[in-house]
Structure formats: structure tokens, C-alpha cells
Amino acid sequence: MSTTEPIRDTEELIQFREYYHTQHPQSRNYALIMLGLHSALRISDLLNLKWRDVYDFEKKCFREHLCLVERKTQKRTSIALCKDAEDALNQLFQERYPDKEDYIFSKTTDHSSPLCRSQAYRIVRAAAEHTNQSEHISCHSMRKTFGYHAWKQGVQPALLMDIFNHSSYEITKRYLGITQDERDGIFLGIQL
């Protein structure tokens, strides 16, 4: 049985991220990946987002924060929408001119129905095929990739635990594969 992994290599991450933007342009799929990478949300939460969650139809602008109750934990979370995710969403918004009750990541033929998990998996897998380590990449890899790169860029472990709603740093380390990376660094760095 394979384990879902984060995309650790920066070049592979760029290839993965840009697949639906440059190589095989599809705004919905690009927005799914960009929001998935930048929000650390589980795929079930991503697929259930509606346009009203990210766009203020009265003010005609994107919201600064995405606020929702996570399906798995039933905990309330607030996520700042970064420029890259907002740009991807805006591109999709300009193509669709959606209703506020439409799902963001909907079926092509029916915007009132969200994509199913298996279709989201196929979207992620197609983009992953263009990286060197695509074998262990799934929808959950987007969440893990966010955490892994946040950790590598110096984000405090306590903040990552809070973002992921983990009860201990050990769970977060195991979740992101940090323990093995730390061990590998020791073995590869020792000069005898």
C-alpha cells in the first residue's frame, strides 16, 4: 500500500502547479490545485466550497478570508486567500460568471453539483504525471505539500499543528514526513 506524500522538490512543485495553467490549460483544474496548495484544506472541504465562500457578490470582490467549518473536525477555520489562489479563482470566475450558490469546483455540465472525489483525484494525478515522483501523489498531497514547504520555510511547528488540527507535534512530523527528512539530512551531512 502506498503512502500519500508531499511534493518536496520545488521544481516538481512548479511543474505540478503549472500543468493546468500552461501545458494543459483548464481554469477549474488550475484553481483546484492552486487553492488546494495554498489553503491546506482537505479535498472534501475544497469540493464543497461555493462561490459565496470566496467572493462577496454585493461588494463585487474576493473575500480576504475563506471561513468555513471543516467537515472532518467540525472546527471553524479562517484562511487568508493569497494572491496566487485569488488570481486562479478570478480566472475561473471571469469564464463562468457564476451564481453565488454555484460550487467552485463543479461538474462542467452542472455548476450546482460539486466534482466527486474520484474526478478530483484524476485531475491531481494527471498533473502529477508531469513530476518525477508522481507515484505517491494524491489529492491529500496538496495539503501535505503546503505543510512541508511551510515547515521548510521556517513556520513554527505549533502553527502547523494548529492549521492541521493535530493534537501533537509528533503527529505533524509524521504527517509531513519530517522525521525521515531530518534523519536523511544527518546521514548525508556527516563527513567521516
Side-chain angles (χ1 to χ4, degrees), residues 25-188:
Q26 288 186 307
S27 298
R28 180 200 62 195
N29 299 353
Y30 178 62
L32 176 69
I33 287 175
M34 292 302 285
L35 192 57
L37 288 171
H38 288 93
S39 69
L41 287 173
R42 290 176 186 86
I43 195 66
S44 59
D45 292 321
L46 279 172
L47 295 179
N48 281 292
L49 290 174
K50 293 188 175 186
W51 280 104
R52 64 176 152 73
D53 297 322
V54 297
Y55 191 81
D56 186 327
F57 282 84
E58 290 178 17
K59 295 180 181 176
K60 298 186 189 296
C61 64
F62 280 90
R63 299 183 187 283
E64 290 182 16
H65 289 85
L66 166 61
C67 299
L68 69 137
V69 176
E70 294 181 5
R71 291 172 63 113
K72 182 176 180 179
T73 63
Q74 296 302 305
K75 291 182 181 176
R76 196 163 231 353
T77 189
S78 178
I79 300 163
L81 279 178
C82 74
K83 181 87 170 103
D84 288 341
E86 184 181 321
D87 288 347
L89 287 167
N90 189 43
Q91 182 180 341
L92 181 59
F93 188 88
Q94 296 304 318
E95 285 179 14
R96 286 195 180 166
Y97 299 105
D99 181 73
K100 64 182 178 181
E101 292 302 317
D102 287 349
Y103 286 95
I104 298 172
F105 307 113
S106 63
K107 298 176 180 178
T108 309
T109 56
D110 181 9
H111 299 305
S112 64
S113 296
L115 284 176
C116 64
R117 292 174 68 100
S118 58
Q119 181 61 24
Y121 175 78
R122 286 190 289 274
I123 289 167
V124 169
R125 290 294 305 151
E129 294 298 324
H130 295 277
T131 68
N132 291 330
Q133 296 181 356
S134 62
E135 183 179 334
H136 300 288
I137 305 301
S138 70
C139 293
H140 208 62
S141 295
M142 295 187 294
R143 182 171 160 89
K144 287 186 171 192
T145 298
F146 171 88
Y148 180 82
H149 286 276
W151 171 70
K152 289 297 259 187
Q153 293 173 29
V155 172
Q156 295 295 319
L159 288 174
L160 289 174
M161 285 171 49
D162 182 56
I163 287 169
F164 290 130
N165 288 316
H166 290 163
S167 58
S168 74
Y169 179 55
E170 288 304 312
I171 293 170
T172 303
K173 280 176 40 173
R174 206 170 43 249
Y175 184 79
L176 301 176
I178 292 172
T179 303
Q180 189 59 50
D181 282 358
E182 290 172 338
R183 290 172 48 98
D184 291 351
I186 292 168
F187 287 114
L188 297 173

